[in-house]
Amino acid sequence: VVSASPAVIYSRSPGPGMPVTFISSNVYELLGYRADELLADGHLLDRLTHPDDRLHRERDLDCTVAHHQTNRTYRLHHRDGSWRWIRDTMRLVCDAGGQPVELVGSWLDNTEAQLLAEQLTHQASHDALTGLANRRAFEQRLQRALESTRDQSAEHALFYLDLDQFKVINDTCGHLAGDDLLRQIARVLQIRVRKQDILARLGGDEFGVLMEYCPLHDALRVANSLCQAVNDFRFAWGGKTFRL
């Protein structure tokens, strides 16, 4: 029954840091390691856990309550170098006196669902054409910045950019050219703002930049740099060259 299950079944001694005492053979399909390899090295499974997930995974093992099912998701390293998202369902088994005896659990590969969720989250906050943050994400970040000015007297800078001549290029060369122009301009602007700043496409040929915790003189320097970069930029399409 265990071998026929799509889930990897395991058991281990209760408590954090305790070794796995049983794991079903189908773990090979999930992680590329044989069950005997994982059982022979009591710390291999801990080393395969993503560094960012180790602490909360150990805490979950320590806090599992008897007879109550606990579900957690974390990453394990496959032998081929990729990360697999694991949905771990575990339960603590106790004896008649209430003393912990064994922790039993099952793993299901949750990688596809996790990646899809991440993709949807990314799409909800990013512009599909340029890959920049979209208006919704920009407004959320701006709202937090406004709150920080009230709570911390922080100083931020907001830029609004509207491309001149974009409609001329769109009308002359078509929307494919306009789309390519926006992608190129996005790259030109992106390399001139700090990594912690947010550059967003607000819609059409409009962009916004929010520089948080930035004094005015630094913001002016960046603003001039962005204007100069766009002024120096040349867009070529169909044998024609345009400037913005």
Side-chain angles (χ1 to χ4, degrees):
V1 176
V2 170
S3 61
S5 172
V8 174
I9 310 300
Y10 72 90
S11 65
R12 64 189 302 163
S13 302
M18 299 303 290
V20 173
T21 54
F22 168 80
I23 192 163
S24 55
S25 60
N26 57 348
V27 70
Y28 183 79
E29 284 73 37
L30 182 64
L31 295 178
Y33 290 89
R34 300 189 313 274
D36 61 305
E37 292 179 276
L38 293 168
L39 294 173
D41 184 345
H43 299 290
L44 177 56
L45 190 55
D46 293 327
R47 294 198 301 272
L48 294 178
T49 305
H50 194 283
D52 294 344
D53 299 335
R54 284 175 190 161
L55 185 61
H56 81 75
R57 179 173 173 270
E58 286 298 315
R59 187 167 56 244
D60 292 340
L61 291 173
D62 193 31
C63 295
T64 302
V65 180
H67 309 302
H68 286 271
Q69 186 170 289
T70 303
N71 296 298
R72 291 293 182 268
T73 304
Y74 51 83
R75 288 158 288 183
L76 291 177
H77 205 219
H78 192 281
R79 194 165 217 150
D80 64 9
S82 63
W83 290 99
R84 301 294 170 88
W85 281 94
I86 306 299
R87 182 169 178 79
D88 188 355
T89 302
M90 64 188 92
R91 182 171 60 86
L92 187 63
V93 179
C94 296
D95 61 19
Q99 294 301 310
V101 175
E102 185 181 39
L103 187 70
V104 296
S106 63
W107 292 339
L108 282 172
D109 189 347
N110 201 51
T111 306
E112 187 173 343
Q114 185 71 30
L115 294 178
L116 178 59
E118 291 176 358
Q119 181 182 357
L120 292 174
T121 299
H122 184 273
Q123 289 174 350
S125 60
H126 287 76
D127 174 53
L129 179 63
T130 62
L132 300 178
N134 61 18
R135 187 185 192 100
R136 176 174 174 269
F138 188 79
E139 289 178 347
Q140 289 175 341
R141 183 84 167 261
L142 179 59
Q143 182 61 42
R144 292 198 297 269
L146 288 171
E147 291 169 359
S148 72
T149 61
R150 290 191 293 266
D151 300 338
Q152 308 168 20
S153 299
E155 187 176 12
H156 312 301
L158 171 67
F159 305 158
Y160 169 75
L161 300 87
D162 187 321
L163 300 177
D164 291 337
Q165 304 303 317
F166 175 74
K167 188 176 185 303
V168 172
I169 296 171
N170 237 5
D171 293 344
T172 303
C173 302
H175 291 291
L176 285 178
D179 288 350
D180 190 50
L181 166 63
L182 291 172
R183 282 190 290 264
Q184 290 188 40
I185 282 292
R187 290 194 291 269
V188 168
L189 298 175
Q190 186 74 74
I191 62 175
R192 286 168 174 82
V193 297
R194 305 174 305 179
K195 287 185 177 180
Q196 66 266 37
D197 300 329
I198 179 170
L199 166 67
R201 182 184 176 209
L202 304 180
D205 62 348
E206 300 170 326
F207 296 82
V209 180
L210 177 61
M211 301 185 70
E212 296 178 276
Y213 304 99
C214 180
L216 181 59
H217 64 273
D218 286 341
L220 285 170
R221 177 178 52 79
V222 174
N224 287 326
S225 171
L226 294 177
C227 289
Q228 189 62 50
V230 174
N231 188 58
D232 294 342
F233 176 76
R234 298 293 181 272
F235 178 69
W237 187 272
K240 299 179 181 178
T241 301
F242 302 87
R243 61 180 298 177
L244 300 170

